Amino acid sequence: MSDINELVERYLATWNQTDAEARRAELAEVFADDAVYTDPLVSVRGRDGLDATIAAVQSQFGGLVFSLAGAVDAHHDIARFTWHLGPEGAEPPAIGFDVAVIGEDGRIARVLGFLDKVPAGA
């Protein structure tokens, strides 16, 4: 379980990484080559698509950070977890949960994201 917890923490850290070069390096370590990310607003395949998605989210929500909002629930090679997006130590304007499928190589192969709370106009 600790390996999955660490992977989820690294996943969220990747969403918080604002240095493009460092983010791409982290994406290569955390995500499979052809990883798929799907949420209500976007569906992308591959690290380039995910990198562009993360950059767009950072542009829209500059200064906010993703954080784990509770325990990671996992079994087999599947993890689900709730996250907050907001200023550190304050009420998050966005809350969601993701389900991550971990591939045989230990990297994330697929993420299915759900949004529970979204700021007006987002």
Side-chain angles (χ1 to χ4, degrees):
M1 181 70 76
S2 64
D3 288 342
I4 290 177
N5 288 334
E6 181 182 336
L7 185 61
V8 168
E9 290 285 354
R10 290 185 70 194
Y11 165 78
L12 292 172
T14 301
W15 279 87
N16 291 328
Q17 179 56 258
T18 57
D19 179 271
E21 188 175 325
R23 184 175 58 243
R24 282 190 293 276
E26 189 68 15
L27 283 166
E29 292 183 21
V30 174
F31 287 91
D33 294 341
D34 61 347
V36 175
Y37 175 88
T38 306
D39 71 21
L41 304 174
V42 67
S43 182
V44 296
R45 177 180 294 275
R47 293 187 206 125
D48 289 343
L50 190 50
D51 184 43
T53 298
I54 292 171
V57 168
Q58 290 175 351
S59 176
Q60 184 174 6
F61 298 104
L64 304 182
V65 294
F66 284 91
S67 61
L68 192 58
V72 176
D73 183 20
H75 63 82
H76 298 85
D77 292 322
I78 303 168
R80 71 175 177 162
F81 51 94
T82 299
W83 50 261
H84 289 168
L85 174 62
E88 289 191 52
E91 183 69 24
I95 299 172
F97 83 90
D98 289 352
V99 175
V101 179
I102 294 93
E104 291 181 14
D105 65 359
R107 294 182 293 171
I108 295 173
R110 183 174 191 95
V111 176
L112 303 169
F114 297 83
L115 303 173
D116 296 323
K117 178 182 173 186
V118 179

